[in-house]
Amino acid sequence: MKRRSRGSPGVYCQSIGLELATKHWNNFQRSLEIDLMETLANLESFVRSAEAEGFSAAARRLTLSPAAVSRNVATLERNLGVRLFQRSTRKLTLTEAGERFLYAIRDNLEELQAAIVSVGTDRGEPIGALKVSMSLSFGVDYILPLLPAFLARYPGIRPDWTFDQRQVDLISEGYDAAIGGGLELAQGVVSRVLAPAHLIAVASPDYLQTRTLPADPSGLAELDGIAWRLSRTGRIRDRLMRNAAGAEFAVRLKETITLDDPEATCRAAVLGLGVTLIAVPHALPHLERGTLVRLVPQWYCDDGSISIYYASRTLLPAKTRVFVDFVVEAFRRDRLAERFAGSL
């Protein structure tokens, strides 16, 4: 016969009951959160489809497929028990019930998002899709390598990252964060500085073999130049190089080659096509491998800062907060602000 364990049976049963209740509550909370997130996705699909008058345009904004948006709206209609859209081959038209429903929820969508996010925040488990924009080369070299450790710490987050040189509109395009330099701070957007955005002059060892190294920035104009045209404006900027002593030189490279992407200009320099002014993060891997050499080492152009941008909200989603903190800490730990400083 099995011996009864010592201790009060009532206390033992109470302990077991408490464990079961806690387990069921946690399961219920997780189930509630999943249901709420699905409901939010359905509501957002409806609002964006109404604004765009079509599933395809709404899908592009939400980074979903048109079929997924249509399915979300159909699920919402089924749950509400009313038809929200009249569908035709050309466009969507709101029904009378759809117009009333859109009027009721459109201005409250952000509050609904914040309330649903708070469910995950209260439990301390950041979850959901994390939509981030950054340039390709910078993202691949410095942000993507952080992903394994980040996901190991926050397995409930699903990265949805865009690698693009253009400046995105965080709020209207639904991004949680963006990383880059020189982004304009729209209303409702804040930033945290990660590192300086300094440009330096570089060329390949092969290109420099038969040429005299310039003693100061004025000598750069005598070399073949790989100019960088800004894709947003189509202009080639005149640059001002400075050193730690405070001296300054206006610099305009000879436009032997003109490109509109910073990584392309860097690769052109590696190929021995001339000298270019490039941000330190782009040049650093090539400098460390010896495929590029820095010219006039004490001189640099100050192009502002590299920052992480995110929407300022009363309740910042937990997924965004932990991502921002993780990136800031990684830059501090790896001393990237010092490594990116062209003044050192």
Side-chain angles (χ1 to χ4, degrees):
M1 179 181 290
K2 221 175 187 181
R3 295 183 61 187
R4 184 185 298 272
S5 62
R6 293 184 179 181
S8 166
V11 172
Y12 176 75
C13 292
Q14 186 178 23
S15 174
I16 294 296
L18 183 60
E19 286 182 21
L20 289 172
T22 301
K23 181 178 180 181
H24 285 308
W25 169 250
N26 287 338
N27 289 340
F28 168 74
Q29 193 175 26
R30 186 177 296 276
S31 174
L32 175 63
E33 183 177 327
I34 292 171
D35 289 344
L36 287 171
M37 293 300 290
E38 290 178 351
T39 300
L40 177 61
N42 297 341
L43 289 171
E44 192 166 16
S45 291
F46 163 68
V47 172
R48 303 310 174 210
S49 298
E51 291 172 345
E53 297 184 350
F55 293 139
S56 295
R60 287 192 294 273
R61 182 170 178 181
L62 296 170
T63 64
L64 297 172
S65 68
V69 174
S70 176
R71 186 166 57 249
N72 288 348
V73 172
T75 300
L76 181 63
E77 289 178 321
R78 185 169 61 253
N79 292 339
L80 292 173
V82 296
R83 181 174 290 278
L84 299 172
F85 287 115
Q86 298 290 355
R87 294 158 172 82
S88 71
T89 55
R90 292 190 174 184
K91 69 174 184 176
L92 297 176
T93 305
L94 285 166
T95 62
E96 184 179 349
E99 289 179 352
R100 290 199 306 269
F101 189 62
L102 178 65
Y103 178 79
I105 72 164
R106 179 160 55 186
D107 293 338
N108 299 314
L109 191 58
E110 186 170 329
E111 285 76 8
L112 284 171
Q113 290 172 323
I116 290 172
V117 164
S118 70
V119 176
T121 303
D122 290 343
R123 202 176 65 239
E125 296 180 11
I127 65 162
L130 180 70
K131 191 175 179 184
V132 183
S133 172
M134 67 198 86
S135 68
L136 177 60
S137 58
F138 184 85
V140 168
D141 286 341
Y142 301 102
I143 306 301
L144 196 61
L146 305 178
L147 196 51
F150 180 74
L151 292 180
R153 186 181 299 183
Y154 305 109
I157 293 178
R158 179 174 59 83
D160 180 2
W161 292 3
T162 300
F163 297 92
D164 197 343
Q165 195 64 34
R166 74 180 180 90
Q167 177 173 332
V168 299
D169 186 326
L170 267 70
I171 295 175
S172 69
E173 296 183 55
Y175 281 92
D176 296 296
I179 300 174
L183 274 69
E184 296 177 5
L185 280 181
Q187 185 176 3
V189 174
V190 295
S191 66
R192 289 178 67 175
V193 173
L194 297 174
H198 288 171
L199 279 64
I200 57 175
V202 296
S204 73
D206 289 343
Y207 177 78
L208 296 172
Q209 269 187 348
T210 59
R211 292 168 175 85
T212 303
L213 296 180
D216 58 53
S218 64
L220 296 174
E222 303 302 318
L223 302 173
D224 298 305
I226 306 169
W228 171 21
R229 176 186 289 116
L230 298 177
S231 56
R232 276 185 294 169
T233 63
R235 293 174 51 245
I236 298 172
R237 284 179 54 184
D238 289 332
R239 297 288 185 176
L240 190 68
M241 297 196 82
R242 60 184 59 167
N243 63 12
E248 295 182 338
F249 267 102
V251 176
R252 176 99 182 193
L253 295 180
K254 188 187 299 181
E255 297 171 21
T256 307
I257 298 174
T258 303
L259 304 171
D260 73 345
D261 179 83
E263 183 59 22
T265 64
C266 194
R267 298 301 178 92
V270 171
L271 292 172
L273 298 176
V275 59
T276 192
L277 292 172
I278 195 69
V280 177
H282 292 292
L284 196 56
H286 303 288
L287 293 171
E288 291 174 344
R289 288 195 292 266
T291 53
L292 284 178
V293 175
R294 183 175 177 181
L295 304 178
V296 291
Q298 304 304 315
W299 298 83
Y300 68 97
C301 305
D302 187 348
D303 206 30
S305 61
I306 300 167
S307 301
I308 184 165
Y309 302 81
Y310 52 95
S312 173
R313 294 178 181 169
T314 305
L315 179 61
L316 186 67
K319 61 180 180 178
T320 308
R321 173 176 48 79
V322 297
F323 176 71
V324 170
D325 290 344
F326 194 90
V327 172
V328 170
E329 171 57 24
F331 269 65
R332 186 201 63 76
R333 182 191 65 238
D334 298 336
R335 301 175 67 186
L336 290 181
E338 295 176 35
R339 294 176 64 198
F340 292 173
S343 54
L344 300 180

